[in-house]
Amino acid sequence: MILIVEDEKSIAEIIAFNLKKEGYEYIIANDGVTGLKLALEKNPELVLLDIMMPGIDGFNVCKKIRQSSEVPIIMLTARSEEVDKVLGLEIGADDYVTKPFSPRELMARVKANLRKRQIEIIDDEDIITSLDITIDLKKYTVTKGNTQISLTSREFDLIVFLAKKKGQVFSREQLLEQVWGYEYFGDARTVDVTIRRLRTKIEEAPENPQYVLTKRGVGYYFVSE
Amino acid sequence: MKSIKLKLISLFVTLVLFVMIIAGAFVRVSVGLIEETRAHEELSFLAGFYADIIHQNGLDDSRLREFRPETTLLILYSDGTLATGAHNENYSSMFNSPAIIGAIAGNNTFIPWQETQNEQGRIIIQMQYATPVYINGVHYIIYIYSNAGRAVENLEDISRIILFSIIIATSLAIFLGYLYSTTFTKPLIELTNAAKRMAEGKLKTEAKVYNNDDEIGELAGAFNNMAKSLNRLDTMRREFVANVSHEIRTPLTVIKTYAETLKEELTESEIAQSFLTTIDLEVDRITLLATDLLELSHFDNNQMTMTMEYRDLGQILSNSIKQVSVLAEQKNQKITSLIKEDMVCYVDSIRINQVFVNILSNAVKYSDENTNIKVATKVTKEKFIVTIKDEGIGISEEDLSHIFERFYRVDKARSRESGGSGLGLSIVKEILDMHSASVFVKSGKGIGTIFEISFNKENI
């Protein structure tokens, strides 16, 4: 089930129409308060979240959802400004779509964000370890020492992809294609933000990372032991 | 020196000089007249005194021949011949003195400042007085003259003092005029600078008000009010552009999503497909226009935030080519590229990608089918150079200088068809300016266009 949080009724309606056509179930919330309530009660598989709403706005709804859930969140933003996109990703959204969007594009994003753990299917390894980090591909868990780290599916996919080819440097564009799974034209910064979020979760000192490293001018790689 | 300062100082000096000269002349003439009156009174008093002596003692009184260094006395008969006198000079030359001629005619005659030559041939100045008297039945003429040397010296002293005062006053006038005019020009210069800053687009400028009461202070106040109004207007304009381009997105989203969904539903109707495609394309165009306008307003207000990082220009360029290749394939155009590695530069990668995509998509749009677009890079000692060359319609020399202007359309019909906002190249220029990068365009009508973008390696 997909939760649509959108105050503009006609937009919510057309999204619902397209979701239904693609075979998804949906619920609609027309304001942030209802949206937050439904997100916590109904346990949706994915949330489509508008930013500009009366009451609580999308940013705050996203923040509150993230306190208790790693459900994929796609922000619907009328603002094309970089700052807003980055802010959305920083506070835990997985993706964003800029208005006006094409329904087909939105459906592609929905599919891509629902497509979970595709990477390990084509792989025979079950457990990847590096230093004190253990990634269990079967259980979808990441543990550091003895503590389990809670990652969103995107963050999980990203660390798995990098950790499988330790030491190999990937450009942002490659990561977008491989991990996000679709052409994400021009917005390589999504990768940067997700990397940053990942680092705050797994690194001792995110500004001086030990696991996910930056190759200046090129991209990112996972530390080879 | 600025001319208004010079003018003020000259005016000040001229006024002071004028007043000083008039005053000096007045003093000089007054003192001359006082000297004259004094001499007249003194000499006429002496003449009365000698007349009394003659009256009492006749011409034999020794006092009539007593020598005095300052004054000389001659007693003449009415025909002008000498009766007696105290003199040390050859008096014969004195008989044609205008004073004596006047006295012979029967009048008391005073002649001040009379120039005469003494025996040594020197010019001396005298005050002369002659009066006819009738004593004991005889007509005499008492003729007294005194040397005016002292009076002349006094006058010369006064002239010198006046001249000296004029010089002092003029210097003071220049000095004070300079100080005084500065109080005029300083706020004016300040205002001019404020106006210049404003013309550069710094609307938050405020001119310093030195003195609220005077006209210049009022001008500065009015200027600041104007600046405030402009600021308000500019804020309104900025908010307006931002609000419009933001608010317009919701209805555009509705139109776009509904048109596209309808298009997928009405697959049987060719007309519906064609019309809905047009609606969809036009929505994209308004969206692009709104986005570009918002972006330019950010540049105008220095609100554009750049996320600078070290990125390989070649990597960005390859990515841009990939984005445009879909468009090129539709027109069966071939994009060939020769991209060097390791062109690491300190840039905002998203913005630079935008630059490349803008130029590349123009190349695609303004070239016919089955043409080639060539992308190449060059590394020189100081620069990374990216060239994008097409075999398109080209730009005439006349249009070439305008292509970075906002809403400038080389070919109106064609650009409408191609769906640009008319702001693409303006944004390219703004972005490159913020990177201190330059763009150079060469084009031939019907031959094609070359864009050459140069990045400074110093940015590293």
Side-chain angles (χ1 to χ4, degrees), chain A residues 8 10-11 13-14 17-18 21 52 78-83 98-104 171-173 177 183 185-186 189 192 216-218, chain B residues 246 249-250 252-254 256-258 260-261 264-265 283 287 291 294 298 305 307 309-312 315 319 322-323 344 348-350 353 460:
Chain A
E8 198 70 34
S10 46
I11 295 177
E13 208 175 292
I14 199 75
F17 181 89
N18 279 280
K21 212 172 73 183
M52 297 286 278
R79 312 198 228 179
S80 60
E81 275 111 292
E82 203 62 38
V83 187
T98 313
K99 287 180 180 177
F101 52 84
S102 113
R104 194 183 298 185
S171 73
R172 293 160 173 82
E173 289 75 21
E177 254 184 73
E183 299 288 323
F185 287 144
R189 205 149 287 153
D192 298 335
R216 204 185 84 161
V218 187
Chain B
H246 179 239
R249 277 167 196 276
T250 303
L252 283 176
T253 310
V254 176
K256 188 174 174 72
T257 47
Y258 279 76
E260 282 194 19
T261 309
E264 278 172 21
E265 295 299 307
V283 169
T287 308
T291 311
L294 189 61
H298 285 332
T305 44
T307 311
E309 57 187 341
Y310 292 99
R311 289 297 304 271
D312 183 359
Q315 213 182 60
N319 194 42
K322 211 156 98 189
Q323 285 179 49
V344 178
D348 181 318
S349 57
I350 289 179
N353 177 62
I460 293 171

Coordinates of all heavy atoms in Angstrom, one line a residue, chain A residues 8 10-11 13-14 17-18 21 52 78-83 98-104 171-173 177 183 185-186 189 192 216-218, chain B residues 246 249-250 252-254 256-258 260-261 264-265 283 287 291 294 298 305 307 309-312 315 319 322-323 344 348-350 353 460:
Chain A
E8 N -3.3 19.1 -2.6 CA -4.0 19.4 -3.8 C -4.8 18.2 -4.3 O -4.2 17.2 -4.8 CB -3.0 19.9 -4.9 CG -3.5 20.7 -6.0 CD -4.0 22.1 -5.6 OE1 -3.4 22.7 -4.8 OE2 -5.0 22.5 -6.3
S10 N -6.8 17.4 -6.8 CA -6.7 16.9 -8.2 C -5.4 16.2 -8.4 O -5.4 15.2 -9.2 CB -7.0 18.0 -9.2 OG -6.2 19.1 -8.8
I11 N -4.3 16.6 -7.8 CA -3.0 15.9 -8.0 C -3.0 14.6 -7.3 O -2.6 13.6 -7.9 CB -1.8 16.8 -7.5 CG1 -1.8 18.1 -8.4 CG2 -0.5 16.1 -7.6 CD1 -0.7 19.1 -8.0
E13 N -5.5 12.8 -6.7 CA -6.5 11.9 -7.5 C -5.8 11.3 -8.7 O -5.9 10.1 -9.0 CB -7.6 12.8 -8.0 CG -8.9 12.1 -8.2 CD -10.0 13.1 -8.5 OE1 -10.4 13.9 -7.6 OE2 -10.4 13.1 -9.7
I14 N -5.0 12.1 -9.4 CA -4.4 11.6 -10.7 C -3.2 10.6 -10.3 O -3.0 9.6 -11.0 CB -3.9 12.7 -11.6 CG1 -3.7 12.2 -13.0 CG2 -2.6 13.4 -11.1 CD1 -5.0 11.9 -13.8
F17 N -5.0 7.4 -9.5 CA -5.4 6.8 -10.7 C -4.3 6.0 -11.3 O -4.4 4.8 -11.7 CB -5.9 7.8 -11.7 CG -6.4 7.3 -13.0 CD1 -7.8 6.9 -13.1 CD2 -5.6 7.1 -14.1 CE1 -8.2 6.3 -14.3 CE2 -6.0 6.6 -15.3 CZ -7.4 6.2 -15.4
N18 N -3.1 6.6 -11.4 CA -1.9 6.0 -12.0 C -1.4 4.8 -11.2 O -1.0 3.8 -11.7 CB -0.8 7.0 -12.3 CG -1.1 7.8 -13.6 OD1 -0.8 7.3 -14.7 ND2 -1.6 9.0 -13.4
K21 N -3.7 1.9 -11.7 CA -3.5 1.3 -13.0 C -2.3 0.4 -13.0 O -2.2 -0.6 -13.7 CB -3.3 2.4 -14.0 CG -3.8 2.0 -15.4 CD -3.8 3.2 -16.4 CE -2.4 3.5 -16.8 NZ -2.3 4.7 -17.7
M52 N 4.9 21.5 0.4 CA 4.1 22.6 0.8 C 2.7 22.2 1.1 O 1.9 21.9 0.3 CB 4.0 23.6 -0.4 CG 5.4 24.2 -0.8 SD 5.9 25.4 0.4 CE 5.1 26.8 -0.1
A78 N 7.5 21.5 -5.2 CA 7.2 22.5 -6.2 C 8.4 23.4 -6.3 O 8.5 24.3 -7.2 CB 6.0 23.3 -5.9
R79 N 9.3 23.2 -5.4 CA 10.5 24.1 -5.5 C 11.6 23.4 -6.1 O 12.0 22.2 -5.8 CB 10.9 24.5 -4.1 CG 9.8 24.9 -3.2 CD 10.3 25.7 -2.0 NE 9.7 25.2 -0.8 CZ 10.0 25.7 0.4 NH1 11.0 26.6 0.5 NH2 9.4 25.2 1.5
S80 N 12.2 24.0 -7.1 CA 13.3 23.3 -7.9 C 14.6 23.6 -7.3 O 15.6 23.1 -7.7 CB 13.2 23.7 -9.3 OG 13.4 25.1 -9.4
E81 N 14.6 24.5 -6.2 CA 15.9 24.9 -5.7 C 16.7 23.7 -5.1 O 16.1 22.9 -4.4 CB 15.7 26.0 -4.6 CG 15.6 27.3 -5.2 CD 14.2 27.9 -5.0 OE1 13.3 27.4 -5.7 OE2 14.1 28.8 -4.3
E82 N 17.9 23.8 -5.4 CA 18.9 22.8 -4.9 C 18.8 22.6 -3.4 O 18.7 21.5 -2.9 CB 20.3 23.2 -5.3 CG 21.3 22.1 -5.4 CD 20.9 21.2 -6.5 OE1 20.4 21.6 -7.5 OE2 21.1 20.0 -6.2
V83 N 18.7 23.7 -2.7 CA 18.7 23.7 -1.2 C 17.6 22.8 -0.7 O 17.7 22.0 0.2 CB 18.5 25.1 -0.7 CG1 18.7 25.1 0.9 CG2 19.6 26.0 -1.3
T98 N 10.3 16.6 -8.9 CA 9.9 18.0 -8.9 C 8.7 18.3 -9.7 O 8.5 17.7 -10.8 CB 11.1 18.8 -9.6 OG1 12.3 18.4 -9.1 CG2 10.9 20.3 -9.5
K99 N 7.8 19.1 -9.2 CA 6.6 19.4 -9.9 C 6.9 20.4 -11.0 O 7.7 21.3 -10.7 CB 5.6 20.0 -8.9 CG 4.9 19.0 -8.0 CD 4.0 19.8 -7.1 CE 3.3 18.8 -6.1 NZ 2.4 19.5 -5.2
P100 N 6.3 20.4 -12.2 CA 5.4 19.4 -12.6 C 6.1 18.1 -13.1 O 7.0 18.2 -13.8 CB 4.6 20.1 -13.7 CG 5.6 21.1 -14.2 CD 6.5 21.5 -13.2
F101 N 5.6 17.0 -12.6 CA 6.3 15.7 -13.0 C 5.4 15.0 -14.0 O 4.2 15.3 -14.1 CB 6.5 14.9 -11.7 CG 5.3 14.7 -10.9 CD1 4.3 13.7 -11.2 CD2 5.0 15.5 -9.8 CE1 3.2 13.6 -10.5 CE2 3.9 15.4 -9.0 CZ 3.0 14.4 -9.4
S102 N 6.0 14.1 -14.6 CA 5.1 13.3 -15.5 C 4.7 12.0 -14.7 O 5.5 11.5 -14.0 CB 5.9 12.9 -16.8 OG 6.2 11.6 -16.9
P103 N 3.5 11.6 -14.9 CA 3.0 10.4 -14.1 C 3.9 9.2 -14.4 O 4.2 8.4 -13.5 CB 1.6 10.2 -14.6 CG 1.2 11.4 -15.3 CD 2.4 12.1 -15.7
R104 N 4.4 9.1 -15.6 CA 5.2 7.9 -15.9 C 6.5 8.0 -15.1 O 7.0 7.0 -14.6 CB 5.5 7.9 -17.4 CG 6.0 6.6 -17.9 CD 6.4 6.6 -19.3 NE 5.2 6.9 -20.2 CZ 5.2 6.9 -21.5 NH1 6.3 6.6 -22.1 NH2 4.1 7.1 -22.2
S171 N 31.9 6.6 -9.9 CA 31.5 8.0 -10.0 C 30.1 8.1 -9.5 O 29.3 7.1 -9.4 CB 31.6 8.4 -11.4 OG 30.6 7.8 -12.2
R172 N 29.7 9.3 -9.2 CA 28.3 9.5 -8.8 C 27.3 9.0 -9.8 O 26.3 8.4 -9.5 CB 28.1 11.0 -8.6 CG 28.9 11.6 -7.4 CD 29.0 13.1 -7.6 NE 29.6 13.8 -6.5 CZ 30.9 13.8 -6.3 NH1 31.7 13.2 -7.1 NH2 31.3 14.5 -5.2
E173 N 27.6 9.3 -11.1 CA 26.7 8.9 -12.2 C 26.6 7.3 -12.2 O 25.5 6.8 -12.4 CB 27.2 9.4 -13.5 CG 27.1 10.9 -13.7 CD 28.1 11.7 -12.9 OE1 29.2 11.1 -12.5 OE2 27.8 12.9 -12.6
E177 N 23.1 5.1 -11.6 CA 22.6 4.1 -12.5 C 22.5 2.8 -11.8 O 21.5 2.1 -12.0 CB 23.6 4.0 -13.7 CG 23.0 4.7 -14.9 CD 24.0 4.4 -16.1 OE1 24.0 3.3 -16.6 OE2 24.6 5.4 -16.5
E183 N 17.9 6.6 -14.8 CA 18.7 7.8 -15.1 C 18.2 8.9 -14.3 O 17.0 9.2 -14.2 CB 18.4 8.2 -16.6 CG 18.9 7.1 -17.6 CD 20.5 7.0 -17.7 OE1 21.1 8.1 -17.6 OE2 21.0 5.9 -17.8
F185 N 19.0 12.3 -14.2 CA 19.8 13.3 -14.9 C 20.2 14.5 -14.1 O 19.3 15.2 -13.5 CB 19.0 13.8 -16.1 CG 19.0 12.8 -17.2 CD1 17.9 12.7 -18.1 CD2 20.2 12.0 -17.4 CE1 18.0 11.7 -19.1 CE2 20.2 11.1 -18.5 CZ 19.1 11.0 -19.3
G186 N 21.5 14.8 -14.1 CA 22.0 16.0 -13.5 C 22.0 16.1 -12.0 O 22.7 16.9 -11.4
R189 N 24.0 15.0 -7.0 CA 24.1 15.4 -5.6 C 23.3 14.5 -4.6 O 23.6 14.4 -3.4 CB 23.7 16.8 -5.4 CG 24.3 17.5 -4.2 CD 24.5 19.0 -4.5 NE 25.6 19.2 -5.4 CZ 25.7 20.3 -6.1 NH1 24.7 21.2 -6.1 NH2 26.7 20.5 -6.9
D192 N 25.7 12.3 -3.1 CA 26.5 12.9 -2.0 C 25.7 12.9 -0.7 O 26.2 12.6 0.3 CB 26.8 14.3 -2.4 CG 27.7 14.4 -3.7 OD1 28.4 13.4 -3.9 OD2 27.7 15.4 -4.4
R216 N 38.9 12.2 -4.5 CA 38.7 13.6 -5.0 C 38.5 13.7 -6.5 O 39.3 13.2 -7.2 CB 39.9 14.4 -4.5 CG 39.5 15.9 -4.4 CD 40.6 16.8 -4.1 NE 41.3 17.1 -5.3 CZ 42.2 18.1 -5.4 NH1 42.4 18.9 -4.4 NH2 42.8 18.4 -6.5
G217 N 37.4 14.4 -6.9 CA 37.2 14.6 -8.3 C 36.6 13.4 -9.0 O 36.2 13.6 -10.2
V218 N 36.6 12.3 -8.4 CA 36.1 11.1 -9.1 C 34.8 10.5 -8.5 O 33.7 10.6 -9.1 CB 37.1 10.0 -9.2 CG1 36.7 8.8 -10.1 CG2 38.5 10.5 -9.7
Chain B
H246 N 6.8 29.7 -8.7 CA 6.5 28.6 -7.7 C 5.0 28.2 -7.8 O 4.6 27.1 -8.0 CB 6.9 29.1 -6.3 CG 6.6 28.0 -5.3 ND1 5.7 28.2 -4.3 CD2 7.0 26.7 -5.2 CE1 5.6 27.1 -3.5 NE2 6.4 26.2 -4.1
R249 N 3.5 26.2 -10.6 CA 3.8 24.7 -10.7 C 2.6 23.8 -10.3 O 2.5 22.7 -10.9 CB 5.0 24.4 -9.8 CG 6.3 24.7 -10.5 CD 7.4 24.7 -9.5 NE 8.5 25.3 -10.1 CZ 9.4 24.8 -10.9 NH1 9.2 23.5 -11.2 NH2 10.4 25.4 -11.5
T250 N 1.8 24.2 -9.4 CA 0.7 23.3 -9.0 C -0.3 23.2 -10.1 O -0.5 22.0 -10.6 CB 0.1 23.9 -7.7 OG1 1.1 23.9 -6.7 CG2 -1.1 22.9 -7.2
L252 N 0.3 23.7 -13.2 CA 1.0 23.0 -14.3 C 1.1 21.5 -14.1 O 1.0 20.7 -15.0 CB 2.4 23.5 -14.5 CG 2.6 24.9 -15.1 CD1 4.0 25.4 -15.1 CD2 2.1 24.8 -16.6
T253 N 1.3 21.1 -12.8 CA 1.3 19.7 -12.5 C 0.0 19.0 -12.8 O 0.0 17.9 -13.4 CB 1.6 19.5 -11.0 OG1 2.8 20.3 -10.6 CG2 1.9 18.1 -10.6
V254 N -1.1 19.7 -12.4 CA -2.4 19.2 -12.7 C -2.5 19.0 -14.2 O -2.9 17.9 -14.7 CB -3.5 20.1 -12.1 CG1 -4.9 19.6 -12.5 CG2 -3.4 20.2 -10.6
K256 N -0.3 18.8 -16.6 CA 0.6 17.8 -17.2 C 0.2 16.3 -16.8 O 0.1 15.5 -17.7 CB 2.0 18.0 -16.6 CG 3.1 17.2 -17.4 CD 4.5 17.6 -16.9 CE 5.5 16.6 -17.5 NZ 5.7 16.8 -19.0
T257 N -0.1 16.1 -15.5 CA -0.4 14.8 -15.1 C -1.7 14.3 -15.8 O -1.8 13.1 -16.2 CB -0.5 14.7 -13.6 OG1 -1.3 15.7 -13.1 CG2 0.8 14.7 -12.9
Y258 N -2.6 15.2 -15.9 CA -3.9 14.8 -16.5 C -3.7 14.6 -18.0 O -4.3 13.6 -18.5 CB -5.0 15.8 -16.2 CG -5.6 15.6 -14.8 CD1 -5.0 16.0 -13.7 CD2 -6.9 15.0 -14.7 CE1 -5.5 15.8 -12.4 CE2 -7.4 14.8 -13.4 CZ -6.7 15.2 -12.3 OH -7.2 15.0 -11.0
E260 N -1.0 13.7 -19.6 CA -0.3 12.5 -19.9 C -1.1 11.2 -19.6 O -1.0 10.3 -20.3 CB 1.1 12.5 -19.1 CG 2.1 13.4 -19.7 CD 3.5 13.2 -19.2 OE1 3.7 12.1 -18.6 OE2 4.3 14.1 -19.3
T261 N -1.8 11.3 -18.5 CA -2.6 10.1 -18.2 C -3.7 9.9 -19.3 O -3.9 8.8 -19.7 CB -3.3 10.3 -16.8 OG1 -2.3 10.7 -15.9 CG2 -4.0 9.1 -16.3
E264 N -2.3 8.3 -22.3 CA -2.2 6.9 -22.2 C -3.5 6.1 -22.2 O -3.6 4.9 -22.6 CB -1.4 6.5 -20.9 CG 0.1 6.7 -21.0 CD 0.8 6.5 -19.7 OE1 0.3 5.9 -18.8 OE2 2.0 7.0 -19.7
E265 N -4.6 6.8 -21.9 CA -5.9 6.2 -21.9 C -6.5 6.2 -23.3 O -7.1 5.2 -23.8 CB -6.9 6.9 -21.0 CG -6.5 6.9 -19.5 CD -6.5 5.4 -19.0 OE1 -7.5 4.7 -19.2 OE2 -5.5 5.0 -18.5
V283 N 3.3 22.7 -21.6 CA 3.5 22.7 -20.1 C 5.0 22.7 -19.8 O 5.5 23.4 -19.0 CB 2.8 21.5 -19.5 CG1 3.2 21.4 -18.0 CG2 1.3 21.7 -19.6
T287 N 7.1 25.5 -17.8 CA 7.9 25.0 -16.6 C 9.4 25.5 -16.8 O 9.9 26.0 -15.8 CB 7.9 23.5 -16.5 OG1 6.5 23.1 -16.6 CG2 8.5 23.0 -15.2
T291 N 11.3 28.0 -14.4 CA 12.6 27.6 -13.7 C 13.7 28.6 -14.1 O 14.4 29.0 -13.2 CB 12.9 26.2 -14.2 OG1 11.8 25.4 -14.0 CG2 14.0 25.6 -13.3
L294 N 13.3 32.0 -12.5 CA 13.6 32.0 -11.0 C 15.2 31.9 -10.9 O 15.7 32.6 -10.0 CB 13.0 30.7 -10.5 CG 13.0 30.6 -8.9 CD1 12.3 31.8 -8.3 CD2 12.4 29.3 -8.5
H298 N 17.7 34.6 -9.1 CA 18.7 34.3 -8.1 C 20.1 34.9 -8.4 O 20.8 35.4 -7.5 CB 18.8 32.8 -7.9 CG 17.6 32.2 -7.2 ND1 16.9 32.9 -6.3 CD2 17.1 31.0 -7.2 CE1 15.9 32.2 -5.8 NE2 16.0 31.0 -6.4
T305 N 23.3 29.9 -4.8 CA 24.3 29.1 -4.0 C 25.0 28.1 -4.9 O 24.4 27.4 -5.6 CB 23.6 28.4 -2.8 OG1 22.5 27.8 -3.3 CG2 23.3 29.4 -1.7
T307 N 27.6 24.9 -5.0 CA 28.3 23.9 -4.2 C 29.5 23.5 -5.0 O 29.5 22.7 -5.9 CB 27.3 22.7 -4.1 OG1 26.0 23.2 -3.7 CG2 27.8 21.7 -3.0
E309 N 33.1 21.9 -5.7 CA 33.9 20.7 -5.3 C 34.9 20.4 -6.4 O 34.8 20.9 -7.5 CB 32.9 19.5 -5.1 CG 32.1 19.3 -6.3 CD 31.0 18.2 -6.1 OE1 31.1 17.5 -5.1 OE2 30.1 18.2 -6.9
Y310 N 35.8 19.5 -6.2 CA 36.8 19.1 -7.2 C 36.1 18.0 -8.0 O 35.8 16.9 -7.5 CB 38.1 18.6 -6.6 CG 38.8 19.8 -5.9 CD1 38.7 20.0 -4.5 CD2 39.5 20.7 -6.7 CE1 39.4 21.0 -3.9 CE2 40.2 21.7 -6.1 CZ 40.1 21.9 -4.7 OH 40.7 23.0 -4.1
R311 N 35.9 18.3 -9.3 CA 35.3 17.4 -10.2 C 36.1 17.3 -11.5 O 36.6 18.3 -12.0 CB 33.8 17.7 -10.5 CG 32.9 17.5 -9.3 CD 32.8 16.1 -8.8 NE 32.4 15.1 -9.9 CZ 31.1 14.9 -10.1 NH1 30.2 15.4 -9.4 NH2 30.8 14.0 -11.1
D312 N 36.0 16.1 -12.1 CA 36.7 16.0 -13.4 C 35.7 16.5 -14.5 O 34.6 16.0 -14.6 CB 36.9 14.5 -13.6 CG 37.7 14.2 -15.0 OD1 37.9 15.2 -15.7 OD2 37.9 13.1 -15.3
Q315 N 34.4 14.0 -16.9 CA 33.3 13.2 -16.4 C 32.0 13.9 -16.5 O 31.0 13.3 -17.0 CB 33.6 12.9 -14.9 CG 33.2 11.5 -14.5 CD 33.4 11.3 -13.0 OE1 32.9 12.1 -12.2 NE2 34.2 10.3 -12.7
N319 N 28.8 12.9 -19.1 CA 27.4 12.8 -18.5 C 26.5 13.7 -19.3 O 25.4 13.3 -19.6 CB 27.5 13.2 -17.0 CG 26.2 12.7 -16.3 OD1 25.7 11.7 -16.6 ND2 25.7 13.6 -15.5
K322 N 25.6 12.3 -22.6 CA 24.7 11.2 -22.5 C 23.3 11.7 -22.4 O 22.3 11.2 -23.0 CB 25.1 10.4 -21.2 CG 24.7 8.9 -21.4 CD 25.6 8.1 -20.4 CE 24.8 7.8 -19.2 NZ 25.7 7.2 -18.1
Q323 N 23.1 12.8 -21.6 CA 21.8 13.4 -21.5 C 21.2 13.9 -22.8 O 20.0 13.8 -23.0 CB 21.8 14.5 -20.5 CG 22.0 14.1 -19.0 CD 22.0 15.2 -18.1 OE1 21.2 16.1 -18.2 NE2 23.0 15.3 -17.2
V344 N 40.6 17.9 -13.6 CA 40.0 18.1 -12.3 C 40.0 19.6 -12.0 O 41.0 20.3 -12.1 CB 40.7 17.4 -11.1 CG1 40.0 17.7 -9.8 CG2 40.6 15.9 -11.4
D348 N 31.0 23.8 -9.5 CA 29.7 23.2 -9.1 C 29.3 22.3 -10.2 O 28.9 22.8 -11.3 CB 28.7 24.4 -8.9 CG 27.3 23.9 -8.5 OD1 26.9 22.8 -9.0 OD2 26.7 24.5 -7.6
S349 N 29.4 21.0 -10.0 CA 29.2 20.1 -11.1 C 27.8 20.1 -11.7 O 27.7 20.0 -13.0 CB 29.5 18.7 -10.6 OG 28.6 18.4 -9.5
I350 N 26.8 20.4 -10.9 CA 25.4 20.4 -11.5 C 25.3 21.6 -12.4 O 24.7 21.5 -13.5 CB 24.4 20.5 -10.3 CG1 24.4 19.1 -9.7 CG2 23.0 20.8 -10.8 CD1 23.5 18.9 -8.5
N353 N 27.3 21.0 -15.6 CA 26.6 20.1 -16.4 C 25.5 20.9 -17.2 O 25.2 20.7 -18.4 CB 26.0 19.0 -15.5 CG 25.1 18.0 -16.3 OD1 25.6 17.4 -17.2 ND2 23.8 18.0 -16.0
I460 N 41.9 25.2 -9.3 CA 42.2 24.0 -8.6 C 42.8 24.3 -7.2 O 43.7 25.2 -7.1 CB 43.2 23.1 -9.4 CG1 42.5 22.6 -10.6 CG2 43.7 21.9 -8.5 CD1 43.4 21.9 -11.6

